[in-house]
Amino acid sequence: MPRSIITLTTDFGLSDHFVATMKGVIRSISPLADIIDITHDLRPFEITQASFLLSQAYPYFPKKTVHVAVVDPGVGTARRPILVEAAGQYFIGPDNGIFGMIFSREKKHKVRAITAEQYFLQPLSRTFHGRDVFAPAAAHLTRGVPPSKFGKLIKDYLKPMSEKPIQTGRRIWTGTILHVDRFGNLITNFHKDDFPTLQLRPFELAIGAVTIRRLALTYSECESNEPVLIIGSSGYAEVAVNQGSAAQLLGCGVGAPVELTIY
Amino acid sequence: MPRSIITLTTDFGLSDHFVATMKGVIRSISPLADIIDITHDLRPFEITQASFLLSQAYPYFPKKTVHVAVVDPGVGTARRPILVEAAGQYFIGPDNGIFGMIFSREKKHKVRAITAEQYFLQPLSRTFHGRDVFAPAAAHLTRGVPPSKFGKLIKDYLKPMSEKPIQTGRRIWTGTILHVDRFGNLITNFHKDDFPTLQLRPFELAIGAVTIRRLALTYSECESNEPVLIIGSSGYAEVAVNQGSAAQLLGCGVGAPVELTIY
Amino acid sequence: MPRSIITLTTDFGLSDHFVATMKGVIRSISPLADIIDITHDLRPFEITQASFLLSQAYPYFPKKTVHVAVVDPGVGTARRPILVEAAGQYFIGPDNGIFGMIFSREKKHKVRAITAEQYFLQPLSRTFHGRDVFAPAAAHLTRGVPPSKFGKLIKDYLKPMSEKPIQTGRRIWTGTILHVDRFGNLITNFHKDDFPTLQLRPFELAIGAVTIRRLALTYSECESNEPVLIIGSSGYAEVAVNQGSAAQLLGCGVGAPVELTIY
């Protein structure tokens, strides 16, 4: 029998006991759960990055996977824990926008406020809901507790700001950098499904002090030190430099503006 | 049937093959063991930090979990490998004080010197006992080898220095910083169970150049840049700054002195 | 029944979604596979380091383990994906020399070009073969697909340059530093099996500005700041400094030349 999977996405790092403690809690409640780390290396409080990385990974996980995401500057305050059902999978975390990109990809999603305190660890700390709320809720879910037992459906959860580019002229859109990956590639919010002509027509992408006019198919086909555009594995257009860091070369990071003109 | 858990706490980092090699050894001996990392990010030779992190995590793990801790500057010398039974769980590592905080929390503990070389990998290296001694011993334990088979009970294992504050006046205690977490929170050795009045009465906590008089319930309730005291999720009082690093703000780290006065 | 193991060795780091996405792909195809990380902390494009670390870890894994290694500057170009059978285990990755040290240790190895696209994810991206080619191939292998189904045996795969020292005089060999571990130990390519007299006779090892004449058995037996030679847990002679970094002390890194004279 396949074992349930719980994934973890946090800003806890791996040099403290936090992540391991959550894993201990999960396995104490659900001895057959397998736990897979998405990342714990988010900069503290970077909710948008968490949302992006999770949105890239979840489509590749099996049905019924439970994704726990804890980037939670408001821990201990009134923000609610939520349980999201989308794409046949589950998402558990604080109601602070961390599942924004899931909501925008999966139009059919259901959100519940988790209020059933019998699934929390007691006494409930005010500063470590990853351990006391989110991990145990996920563990109980993998043991077959139905979502409805955790709390009522809600409509007033935090909705995402659109992460899509804005049209600012007849052929011009202003976008942004969603993520900088380890290799220094700058992932824009121009998705190939939203901009199908990007792969067919001449274009100009202005970022930092440069304008890119070339679309490459692989990292290795561009000159060294030449920034090019690539439709990345995520479907988003990304600015890349062969065996170098586009982020460093262009001095750009998350949130930097990008202007695309398609002719 | 639930699978046994072996946790790993080391200073090996994740950029070498050391940790993976230990996991290969474990799985070769005990194919059904699940392995969970506590941390491998300890600074080389930081035995006290290892002890602290492990002491924070183990209470959340199921009975019979085997915790392997390898921070071992004396590898290859006469220090003994030990097997500790405490709290229904097992702890395996060098006899160098790494289980100090387990001993002080779990008064009923049994310690054995591991001498049964049939449970070691052969030939035994002098520099990688994580692979050759500790990992295989843990793996054999999860396969049902009883603790008594590994060696005799001993009394002369390295005892911990107390990690508790010292009373230096009628209302004054001198303590220290046990740990700095990823967020820069300074975890003191004042535990809420030892200082129950801390949450009830006015106090002054002097650390670095500042004196803190305010106890907060959550990180988010304090002003930005205002250091406050919080009873952390571990039960220890910690110095925190909302969305900032107390360690950086106060210029303090592990071992820094802290003076608490309760009025 | 023991679960199959798939190990992962990449330069993807742990701050992106790449590794987790590969794990999702694996578990979607092979729900019973256990996944163990070797390292993801390789510097981008460091094929030789990947080869070294994998060659250190694989001998400790059970038969039939599938090792996936993805350090792949040529992703999306004509370099082939390969499947290696050696030592009763499997190795999957690009044909770029990443398995060089496996080939040189395991003389009896078979190499196949993976061409069976039915085992790839579709549509195949040009930039993330870890997700689309290597992870799914590994997962199908653990489900019992025989190696021959993945593609034909080939002979013209990239052969390793020898990583062995070169004899340059009657008693003199020139070698190099294969790896610097987290502790700053400099692992040379002088293996105890190739240089059995190293442990028996006087020697001089010249590295950087120093000449080492002393062989130690454990890290702790040398003076602080005295570089010594140790036969490390891998069987290679390594330059070490007790509780310090030989790499830092000597200003040496991977690729630095080493000259050994045995008298």
Side-chain angles (χ1 to χ4, degrees), chain A residues 31-178:
Chain A
L32 292 173
D34 269 340
I35 304 166
I36 291 179
D37 298 307
I38 307 266
T39 187
H40 301 289
D41 218 18
L42 293 158
R43 271 166 302 177
F45 319 128
E46 286 272 1
I47 292 168
T48 314
Q49 291 306 94
S51 192
F52 175 77
L53 293 176
L54 189 53
S55 76
Q56 295 306 296
Y58 84 87
Y60 296 92
F61 277 83
K63 298 286 172 212
K64 295 193 178 296
T65 296
V66 182
H67 302 280
V68 175
V70 193
V71 177
D72 195 11
V75 61
T77 62
R79 67 95 197 91
R80 298 166 295 188
I82 56 175
L83 164 56
V84 179
E85 295 165 74
Q89 302 185 44
Y90 303 103
F91 300 83
I92 288 180
D95 179 19
N96 64 7
I98 200 166
F99 301 127
M101 291 186 74
I102 316 294
F103 298 150
S104 89
R105 278 173 166 242
E106 306 290 344
K107 297 306 177 201
K108 286 193 193 169
H109 58 262
K110 288 197 275 188
V111 182
R112 295 170 189 280
I114 303 178
T115 51
E117 300 200 356
Q118 70 266 35
Y119 302 120
F120 298 170
L121 243 54
Q122 297 297 347
L124 187 65
S125 75
R126 285 175 179 272
T127 53
F128 193 4
H129 286 185
R131 178 189 71 190
D132 301 338
V133 174
F134 303 120
H140 284 290
L141 196 56
T142 62
R143 288 189 55 131
V145 175
S148 60
K149 291 274 188 187
F150 288 89
K152 292 212 164 72
L153 290 172
I154 58 172
K155 295 282 181 200
D156 62 340
Y157 52 91
L158 210 66
K159 305 294 188 307
M161 278 195 309
S162 171
E163 79 277 9
K164 299 202 171 183
I166 293 159
Q167 189 156 11
T168 52
R170 202 158 73 85
R171 292 168 161 153
I172 307 179
W173 289 263
T174 296
T176 189
I177 299 303
L178 286 178

Side-chain angles (χ1 to χ4, degrees), chain A residues 3 11-18 20-21 24-25 27-28 31 41-42 44-45 73 75-77 126-128 131, chain B residues 1-3 5 34 36-39 41 53 56-57 60-62 179 181-183 217-220 230 232-233 243:
Chain A
R3 290 166 61 178
D11 62 353
F12 291 157
L14 291 170
S15 54
D16 289 297
H17 63 92
F18 303 131
T21 296
V25 167
R27 288 296 299 262
S28 294
D41 218 18
L42 293 158
F45 319 128
V75 61
T77 62
R126 285 175 179 272
T127 53
F128 193 4
R131 178 189 71 190
Chain B
M1 201 184 62
R3 290 165 61 179
I5 298 173
D34 268 340
I36 290 179
D37 299 306
I38 307 266
T39 187
D41 219 18
L53 292 176
Q56 295 305 296
Y60 295 93
F61 277 83
H179 180 64
D181 74 18
R182 165 180 174 86
F183 302 96
L217 290 174
T218 67
Y219 297 118
S220 51
I230 282 190
S233 58
Q243 299 200 24

